[in-house]
Amino acid sequence: QVQLVESGGGLVQAGGSLRLSCAASGGIFSMNVMDWYRQAPGKQRFLVATIGSTGYTTYADSVKGRFTISRDNARNTMYLQMNSLKPEDTAVYYCHIRKLGNDYWGQGTQVTVSS
């Protein structure tokens, strides 16, 4: 059974940094694309960043140059380093993986950026 557990969220002032982690269990994920999404109150879930099995990465325009996605396949863990945070980055952040045709989500971790 695939499980994803996010951690690392919190309250930070604008301009600050946070590092999110997503620990995956219940399988081998090194060949799977993994993503970070976020959802702000009253808004749809939004794709923030993607990392492929070979390490290629893509980012939403709103976070390019500020966020860095990475993964450690030996630890089945994905990360999101968030720098120069802005109040508009405030959201619940979710990790996601699609494996064998099924979508798996973590429970989310709250990131709040104060101005």
Side-chain angles (χ1 to χ4, degrees):
Q1 179 178 351
V2 175
Q3 286 193 317
L4 303 174
V5 179
E6 302 97 336
S7 61
L11 173 64
V12 65
Q13 287 190 329
S17 298
L18 284 173
R19 189 193 195 205
L20 307 183
S21 299
C22 171
S25 61
I28 298 173
F29 306 96
S30 59
M31 299 304 293
N32 295 98
V33 174
M34 300 182 75
D35 314 285
W36 284 101
Y37 283 75
R38 69 187 184 191
Q39 187 167 19
K43 295 189 177 181
Q44 288 189 326
R45 199 165 289 192
F46 171 78
L47 178 60
V48 175
T50 296
I51 186 164
S53 59
T54 57
Y56 79 84
T57 58
T58 61
Y59 297 92
D61 286 344
S62 57
V63 307
K64 276 181 185 175
R66 299 188 299 122
F67 291 11
T68 302
I69 189 172
S70 61
R71 65 193 296 168
D72 183 339
N73 288 332
R75 290 181 167 83
N76 273 350
T77 302
M78 177 176 64
Y79 305 97
L80 186 68
Q81 177 66 43
M82 305 186 296
N83 298 329
S84 302
L85 282 161
K86 304 176 180 180
E88 51 263 44
D89 295 319
T90 295
V92 178
Y93 284 71
Y94 298 91
C95 62
H96 166 264
I97 189 168
R98 186 168 180 85
K99 189 172 179 65
L100 299 177
N102 296 312
D103 289 300
Y104 298 94
W105 298 90
Q107 83 288 351
T109 186
Q110 176 70 47
V111 171
T112 303
V113 184
S114 63
S115 56

